[in-house]
């Protein structure tokens, strides 16, 4: 199926001003972010957002060694990526070229070779180069949207 990339100009404005887009918007009108601590359930061509966690609910990590916390974080990131990449539908990734999106691409490329990637291309932005390098390294299919 054909995917359209209609820009959300308000979100693009936020990105240019703040260097990020406020949730749940993305730079693509037809796509929304899944907020932290939230899951989206798709049933019968409808989606329902549900909260499954909120900060402050489990503070047991406060008394753990740093190495244990890092190991748990790496495990949780891998579990999240694996779970999302095994969905029955197409999976894509907004690749900024920063650390977060590149880490997700690294994990996702193991499950979804040739992953569809979308990047904003801005003049003189170092992230553009980093996004292209990451896409090439992980064999992703990068589509860059050039902003005036």
């Amino acid at each position: 199926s054909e995917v359209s990339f209609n820009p959300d100009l308000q979100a693009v404005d936020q990105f240019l001003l703040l260097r990020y887009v406020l949730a749940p918007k993305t730079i693509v009108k037809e796509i929304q972010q899944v907020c932290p601590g939230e899951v989206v359930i798709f049933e019968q061509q409808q989606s329902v957002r549900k909260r499954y966690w909120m900060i402050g609910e489990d503070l047991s990590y406060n008394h753990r060694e740093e190495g244990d916390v890092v190991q748990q974080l790496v495990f949780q990131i891998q579990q999240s990526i694996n779970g999302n990449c095994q969905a029955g539908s197409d999976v894509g990734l907004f690749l900024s070229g920063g650390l977060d999106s590149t880490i997700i691409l690294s994990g996702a490329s193991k499950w979804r070779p040739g992953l569809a990637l979308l990047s904003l291309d801005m003049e003189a932005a170092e992230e553009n180069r980093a996004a292209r390098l990451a896409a090439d390294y992980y064999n992703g299919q990068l589509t860059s949207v050039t902003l005036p």
Side-chain angles (χ1 to χ4, degrees), residues 12-77:
V12 171
D13 187 50
Q14 286 178 358
F15 184 81
L16 294 173
L17 180 65
L18 306 172
R19 303 291 288 166
Y20 65 92
V21 178
L22 300 173
K25 288 182 173 277
T26 68
I27 62 165
V28 179
K29 272 186 185 177
E30 296 82 9
I31 300 174
Q32 289 188 339
Q33 294 181 45
V34 177
C35 297
E38 181 179 71
V39 64
V40 179
I41 301 168
F42 295 93
E43 291 179 356
Q44 299 174 1
Q45 298 185 348
Q46 292 188 355
S47 63
V48 177
R49 293 172 172 267
K50 293 187 179 182
R51 293 274 286 153
Y52 67 88
W53 184 82
M54 184 174 283
I55 194 162
E57 289 182 2
D58 179 14
L59 299 178
S60 61
Y61 59 84
N62 283 341
H63 304 290
R64 294 173 51 198
E65 295 293 321
E66 182 179 341
D68 293 338
V69 173
V70 169
Q71 185 176 11
Q72 181 66 26
L73 176 62
V74 169
F75 175 77
Q76 292 295 331
I77 291 170

Side-chain angles (χ1 to χ4, degrees), residues 70-119:
V70 169
Q71 185 176 11
Q72 181 66 26
L73 176 62
V74 169
F75 175 77
Q76 292 295 331
I77 291 170
Q78 289 172 339
Q79 289 295 103
S80 176
I81 292 170
N82 295 350
N84 283 294
C85 285
Q86 293 185 29
S89 60
D90 292 337
V91 175
L93 174 66
F94 176 70
L95 182 63
S96 68
L99 183 61
D100 296 355
S101 63
T102 303
I103 288 171
I104 294 169
L105 173 58
S106 169
S109 66
K110 295 172 187 168
W111 292 94
R112 295 284 181 124
L115 193 63
L117 307 169
L118 178 64
S119 178

